[in-house]
Amino acid sequence: MEQETRLTESQPASPGTLRPGGRTAKVRRAVLDATQDALAESGFHALNMDRIAAGAGVGKTTVYRRWGTPVGLVTDLLHDMAEQSLPASDTGGLAGDLRANAELVRDTLTDPRMGAVFRAVIAAGACDEECARALADFYRTRLAEWAPVVARGEARGEIPAGTDPVELLRAVSAPLYYRFTVTREELTAAVVERAVAAALAAARDGVFLRE
């Protein structure tokens, strides 16, 4: 364990700012995997640095020195999740692309493990400003990844020129997150279809035109 501790930097680093290679990368991967396991099992408020270190098989000094706090672990995990997310689809049509986006959101939120992780990080963002910024960065990254599908739809004449891609994509996923976080209703295939149809109809009517 002490050998693992020596792999870290001599000074604490801001979570998510490092992209190390080799054994240090393996330490980061193990710690983030252990963090995700803990969030899925017990939520953010039960996150314990010593248990994360034990779960990752690394020294406690390593975890405290590099991530500092549970908030630091969640922040770095969110950066990692954004980097590991699947790329945007290209189905040949905007409706198909938006449906693929909604289905990806639905699959993630209804997955027993990832759904629990998202509940935990959303709860963390609700009570901690640093986590809130990291969560906003995560969604900003994902929206930027999917923005080209809207640009392609605009180029094909499927929606008006000047449609804001971020606002359209938010309109697709917002009903899913509302059911997931607020009403705790089932995310069915019909919910996905309604969200896509409503967002696309609004886009065609110019609701999401940039001001």
Side-chain angles (χ1 to χ4, degrees):
M1 287 186 176
E2 292 306 314
Q3 184 180 19
E4 295 287 359
T5 299
R6 291 195 295 273
L7 295 174
T8 61
E9 294 71 23
S10 60
Q11 297 296 325
S14 298
T17 60
L18 300 176
R19 297 293 178 268
R23 296 174 66 187
T24 305
K26 293 179 181 178
V27 169
R28 180 175 182 252
R29 179 76 272 143
V31 169
L32 294 185
D33 286 347
T35 300
Q36 194 174 86
D37 289 341
L39 288 172
E41 181 179 346
S42 305
F44 171 69
H45 294 290
L47 205 60
N48 179 281
M49 301 286 281
D50 290 3
R51 291 177 184 173
I52 295 299
V58 303
K60 291 186 290 185
T61 305
T62 299
V63 178
Y64 281 100
R65 182 180 296 166
R66 177 160 177 187
W67 286 274
T69 65
V71 168
L73 287 168
V74 173
T75 298
D76 197 15
L77 176 63
L78 283 165
H79 287 306
D80 182 71
M81 287 167 60
E83 294 164 359
Q84 301 298 323
S85 294
L86 294 173
S89 297
D90 185 357
T91 66
L94 182 57
D97 291 345
L98 295 180
R99 186 175 297 107
N101 177 270
E103 288 174 346
L104 177 60
V105 172
R106 178 194 176 214
D107 289 347
T108 300
L109 298 182
T110 57
D111 179 83
R113 173 185 169 86
M114 291 310 300
V117 169
F118 270 89
R119 287 194 194 282
V121 297
I122 290 170
C127 64
D128 183 273
E129 186 61 31
E130 186 178 348
C131 284
R133 287 194 299 269
L135 191 60
D137 287 343
F138 169 83
Y139 285 113
R140 191 177 298 112
T141 299
R142 296 306 298 143
L143 289 167
E145 175 72 28
W146 280 83
V149 308
V150 180
R152 291 195 298 265
E154 182 179 313
R156 289 189 295 259
E158 298 174 89
I159 50 175
T163 297
D164 189 322
V166 170
E167 292 302 323
L168 174 51
L169 291 165
R170 282 173 175 164
V172 171
S173 59
L176 308 183
Y177 276 99
Y178 179 83
R179 287 173 180 260
F180 177 72
T181 60
V182 179
T183 64
R184 299 293 185 98
E185 296 175 79
E186 185 180 1
L187 296 179
T188 64
V191 170
V192 167
E193 288 299 322
R194 280 196 298 271
V196 172
L200 190 54
R204 288 169 174 162
D205 284 344
V207 171
F208 304 122
L209 290 176
R210 296 185 181 90
E211 297 180 358

